[in-house]
Amino acid sequence: MIGAGNLATNLAKALHSAGHDIIEVYSRTRVSADALAMQVEALPTDNIETLRRDADIYILALKDSVLADIIPSLCSGRNDAVFVHTAGSVSIDIFKGHAARYGVLYPMQTFSKSRIVDFSVIPVFLEASDSYTMTLLEGLAASVSNDVRQLDSPSRRYLHLAAVFACNFANHCYALAADMVEMSGMTFDCLLPLIDETARKVHQLPPAKAQTGPAVRFDRNVIDSQSRLLDSNPMSQQIYKLMSESIHQKSKDND
């Protein structure tokens, strides 16, 4: 396992629980390598040059920006191994010229080290350089997830973008809402039933049909009044206005 961050921790623990042998964990920070290695009965290392060469699969769960730097040296001299990255927006072609067999294993979920998720319900999207590698990755993914699908790099970029909107942007809205709740004298937990119901609704309704609020009908009195409350925070005010316009336009498109 190349990496010991949020995704690497969850994936390594899921693979270990499924019976796979994780022989070594690499992280540039030895403390992180030690912490994950201990949980999955592996050896830790913070030196990529001394990484063991007898693994069947090397899974890179790293920042997108460092993949191109680490792949050449990692793949060198390991001609029989399979190399896999876990990034949503990085093409499979990043391995070309460096590895004979390679692929992508992208679990679409938000991960945190402190919160281990049920991997069996996470959709895992695969891409491979050849049929042998695809068969190998399908078996590996199916051992931890009940939802395994094939998807090429260009399509996966749009899927990752969708995930950013559905997860990262939505969570940022929660953070902004938490600031506003403080101004009301309440605490964030009062919003949890609303957040939970909003998420539950889209299991039964298309998101555009589930949309409610003043922006759907573009209630100018409410929108202007709420916008003025954000005069001291121009960025949040701009987000509010753009989001309201986008919601209204989407509702018109779906009429």
Side-chain angles (χ1 to χ4, degrees):
M1 180 62 65
I2 314 301
N6 294 330
L7 190 159
T9 296
N10 277 265
L11 179 56
K13 293 179 76 169
L15 290 170
H16 180 255
S17 295
H20 300 286
D21 293 326
I22 300 175
I23 60 175
E24 196 164 18
V25 172
Y26 162 80
S27 174
R28 62 183 180 83
T29 306
R30 183 56 186 256
V31 172
S32 296
D34 287 342
L36 179 54
M38 185 180 300
Q39 296 177 74
V40 296
E41 300 178 282
L43 293 172
T45 184
D46 59 357
N47 187 346
I48 199 71
E49 299 301 327
T50 63
L51 199 68
R52 289 178 58 168
R53 294 181 172 272
D54 56 342
D56 298 311
I57 304 175
Y58 292 81
I59 301 175
L60 289 82
L62 302 165
K63 290 181 180 179
D64 295 3
S65 57
V66 304
L67 287 174
D69 294 330
I70 204 170
I71 283 173
S73 60
L74 179 65
C75 295
S76 180
R78 297 182 172 94
N79 300 329
D80 295 331
V82 170
F83 297 86
V84 178
H85 77 64
T86 57
S89 292
V90 177
S91 172
I92 190 176
D93 293 340
I94 197 170
F95 289 111
K96 272 190 176 179
H98 302 294
R101 288 176 172 159
Y102 50 89
V104 179
L105 188 154
Y106 171 54
M108 192 176 66
Q109 183 55 281
T110 175
F111 295 104
S112 297
K113 287 184 183 181
S114 59
R115 181 175 170 82
I116 300 302
V117 298
D118 179 2
F119 229 95
S120 67
V121 299
I122 297 173
V124 178
F125 298 89
L126 305 177
E127 188 177 11
S129 59
D130 56 273
S131 58
Y132 169 85
T133 303
M134 178 57 77
T135 300
L136 185 69
L137 293 184
E138 285 178 332
L140 186 69
S143 71
V144 296
S145 172
N146 296 324
D147 188 353
V148 178
R149 318 182 195 193
Q150 293 187 26
L151 194 69
D152 62 23
S153 290
S155 300
R156 192 175 64 256
R157 290 179 66 193
Y158 281 102
L159 185 67
H160 190 209
L161 175 61
V164 167
F165 270 85
C167 174
N168 306 131
F169 288 0
N171 190 75
H172 182 61
C173 286
Y174 298 157
L176 296 179
D179 293 339
M180 295 167 201
V181 164
E182 272 190 33
M183 296 172 69
S184 78
M186 294 292 104
T187 54
F188 184 74
D189 63 308
C190 73
L191 291 178
L192 292 178
L194 174 65
I195 291 170
D196 292 343
E197 175 58 16
T198 302
R200 280 194 294 264
K201 266 205 297 191
V202 295
H203 283 264
Q204 298 177 337
L205 295 171
K209 295 293 184 184
Q211 188 71 58
T212 60
V216 173
R217 57 189 181 272
F218 216 73
D219 188 329
R220 177 61 71 181
N221 289 336
V222 175
I223 291 171
D224 288 348
S225 175
Q226 291 186 336
S227 180
R228 285 193 296 272
L229 291 176
L230 295 168
D231 282 345
S232 62
N233 191 334
M235 184 173 288
S236 292
Q237 189 177 61
Q238 185 178 12
I239 291 170
Y240 177 88
K241 289 179 178 179
L242 287 173
M243 193 75 80
S244 295
E245 290 172 8
S246 181
I247 290 170
H248 183 60
Q249 185 59 55
K250 189 72 174 173
S251 69
K252 285 169 57 179
D253 293 343
N254 285 277
D255 280 345

